[in-house]
Amino acid sequence: MAKNNKRAGARRQLALLALLCVLAPATALAQAWPSKPLRIVVPYAPGAINDVLARHMADRLQVLLGQPVIVENRAGGGAVIGTQAVASAPADGYTLLQVPAAHVNNATLVPRLPYDPINSFSFITLAARAPLLLVAGERFAANSVADLVTLAKKSPGTYSYASSGNGGAAHLMGEMLKQMAGIDLLHVPYKGAAPAMTDVMGGRVDVTFATYTVAAPAIKAGRARILAVTGGKRWPLMPDVPTIAESGVPGYDAAAWWGYAAPAGTPQPIIERLNREINNALAAPALRAALAAEGIEPVGTTPAQFSAFIRSEIPLWAGIIRKGNIRTD
């Protein structure tokens, strides 16, 4: 019996030693991290709303982490090129992806993705959301979502909505509205949000889904009117504007959003530190004010919550994309 106890004790010691050997490199790396500059890859060209968030975040993070944080724009392929660059980067915590909402759409829209949208990444936090505005031209007959639905049901396929391009956020939000409200609207894709808004103001297209920064000049000039916001709750920036859900399409909830992720296999202590510091940055009053001016609402979640969000969004939008037979440009 004594020999058996000694053998069992020896086996436990060996198992503990083996575990320590596995954990030691990751722990040592986490303790030394960060020891050099970090980069945030934005999978879009500079200048857009994606870029605004990344640069504000980089400025704040370099103070919190004590290292320079560089924003690198890697545009192309509807966010695929920049995303692939991060998926194939070393899993050492020095390369981060600013994950856009297109990440979940591309899982269905893009055949043969060069990465796995879930398993190629260690998700850090859902950082921010921005509902889009359902905007009508100044001369359009509808003054509300209910009016739009009534008109569209009376004359299917007669009324139109503009988007910034096939497979983009505005296109998908319009398709969601069509499916949930049971209406037929003509989709008119443009090469960008600005020309789409221009034609809505000119009355050549009836409505569009636009970000606050795109829509605000037209609204302030009296050339366009807001019918509703796309989010599931009223937007603090425009608390008097109803949501689509409370305007006769219950359950409608969609928004642009951004989060952060690292390559799969990044040590968990580093992911936890990044989560803590990014969420700390999002809580800073100066950053919140800067984002609010752009129509962006800070969020902040745990890594597990962001991972669960990604896993739930992929099938949600896959159903809409397939039912609408949506293709990218």
Side-chain angles (χ1 to χ4, degrees):
M1 181 67 71
K3 289 183 178 179
N4 289 338
N5 287 339
K6 286 182 179 179
R7 290 195 190 97
R11 284 195 296 270
R12 285 195 295 270
Q13 288 180 339
L14 287 172
L16 178 60
L17 181 60
L19 178 61
L20 290 173
C21 288
V22 170
L23 294 177
T27 303
L29 175 61
Q31 289 174 343
W33 183 93
S35 59
K36 62 180 182 180
L38 288 76
R39 61 175 179 148
I40 297 174
V41 175
V42 177
Y44 292 103
I49 193 170
N50 306 278
D51 216 39
V52 170
L53 173 62
R55 294 184 188 280
H56 282 305
M57 180 58 66
D59 288 345
R60 187 67 188 164
L61 274 185
Q62 64 186 11
V63 174
L64 294 171
L65 294 173
Q67 290 288 344
V69 179
I70 301 160
V71 174
E72 179 181 324
N73 296 92
R74 295 286 294 272
V80 172
I81 290 176
T83 303
Q84 166 63 9
V86 175
S88 59
D92 55 10
Y94 290 100
T95 302
L96 307 181
L97 173 68
Q98 183 168 284
V99 186
H103 186 82
V104 298
N105 304 330
N106 286 342
T108 304
L109 286 170
V110 181
R112 298 179 296 279
L113 272 178
Y115 52 83
D116 186 300
I118 295 175
N119 296 320
S120 294
F121 302 93
S122 295
F123 295 102
I124 299 167
T125 187
L126 175 61
R129 283 169 55 96
L132 267 63
L133 307 177
L134 176 54
V135 180
E138 59 180 327
R139 294 187 297 275
F140 185 51
N143 292 310
S144 67
V145 173
D147 289 346
L148 174 61
V149 170
T150 298
L151 290 171
K153 285 188 174 180
K154 285 182 179 178
S155 303
T158 300
Y159 298 97
S160 58
Y161 78 98
S163 80
S164 56
N166 285 318
H171 183 190
L172 295 180
M173 290 186 191
E175 187 61 37
M176 176 184 265
L177 176 61
K178 287 171 56 178
Q179 293 180 19
M180 293 185 70
I183 58 176
D184 181 15
L185 297 174
L186 175 65
H187 172 231
V188 184
Y190 287 78
K191 296 292 185 182
M197 179 57 69
T198 297
D199 273 8
V200 169
M201 288 190 294
R204 288 175 286 277
V205 188
D206 297 314
V207 298
T208 190
F209 293 81
T211 62
Y212 171 77
T213 51
V214 170
I219 294 164
K220 290 174 181 176
R223 301 289 308 280
R225 293 174 288 111
I226 306 173
L227 302 185
V229 297
T230 62
K233 61 181 181 179
R234 292 209 178 193
W235 194 22
L237 194 63
M238 294 180 171
D240 296 330
V241 177
T243 66
I244 291 176
E246 64 184 329
S247 302
V249 190
Y252 190 104
D253 183 4
W257 55 262
W258 303 269
Y260 291 94
T266 300
Q268 191 60 28
I270 292 178
I271 295 298
E272 291 171 359
R273 172 81 187 280
L274 283 165
N275 175 266
R276 183 168 65 253
E277 301 300 6
I278 292 173
N279 288 344
N280 284 340
L282 292 169
L287 179 58
R288 296 180 75 88
L291 296 183
E294 302 290 339
I296 302 172
E297 181 181 1
V299 182
T301 66
T302 66
Q305 287 170 333
F306 186 31
S307 180
F309 174 77
I310 294 287
R311 291 171 186 273
S312 67
E313 286 284 288
I314 289 175
L316 168 67
W317 289 102
I320 291 168
I321 290 166
R322 288 169 181 150
K323 185 176 181 180
N325 194 29
I326 293 173
R327 300 285 186 271
T328 56
D329 290 322

